Amino acid sequence: QVQLVASGGGLVQAGGSLRLSCAASGRTFSSYTMGWFRQAPGKEREFVAGINWSSSSTYYAGSVKGRFTISRDNAKNTVYLQMNSLKPEDTAIYMCAASTTPGSYDYWGQGTQVTVSS
């Protein structure tokens, strides 16, 4: 069983920055691929960024590439999402997820609200 707790959301002006954190339980956190997703009101959930167990590979949605950076600290069982140059269209609930089996994200955190004002 994996429990994920996301934090760090808030209200920020366009062009600003936020850093999200996701703390995970479980001794084998270092073996999981981790991801961030978001869901805006009235829209489907979408993938934002992912990182493999060793941080050797990262993946980004085209809409955030160059502005967002995903990272992890396996010693702290935590994954981060640094968000720079935020835009109003980045407003959403951001959720972290863990992939303990290949091909799917099977554990989800509760989400943290990010609101970007214009």
Side-chain angles (χ1 to χ4, degrees):
Q1 194 76 1
V2 178
Q3 292 186 324
L4 304 171
V5 179
S7 61
L11 174 63
V12 64
Q13 288 189 332
S17 298
L18 282 174
R19 188 195 197 202
L20 305 183
S21 299
C22 175
S25 65
R27 299 179 185 177
T28 55
F29 169 82
S30 61
S31 67
Y32 307 154
T33 289
M34 297 295 297
W36 285 97
F37 292 75
R38 67 187 182 186
Q39 187 165 21
K43 294 189 177 181
E44 303 229 335
R45 184 175 62 198
E46 65 173 350
F47 171 81
V48 174
I51 187 167
N52 74 337
W53 68 275
S54 65
S55 303
S56 61
S57 294
T58 55
Y59 318 89
Y60 296 94
S63 59
V64 307
K65 200 166 187 177
R67 300 187 297 122
F68 291 10
T69 303
I70 189 170
S71 62
R72 67 190 296 163
D73 185 338
N74 287 340
K76 295 182 178 180
N77 278 17
T78 302
V79 63
Y80 305 97
L81 185 67
Q82 178 67 44
M83 306 186 294
N84 298 330
S85 301
L86 282 161
K87 305 175 181 180
E89 52 263 43
D90 294 318
T91 295
I93 296 173
Y94 284 71
M95 296 159 281
C96 57
S99 173
T100 64
T101 55
S104 68
Y105 286 92
D106 41 2
Y107 291 95
W108 295 81
Q110 86 289 1
T112 185
Q113 176 71 47
V114 172
T115 303
V116 184
S117 62
S118 57

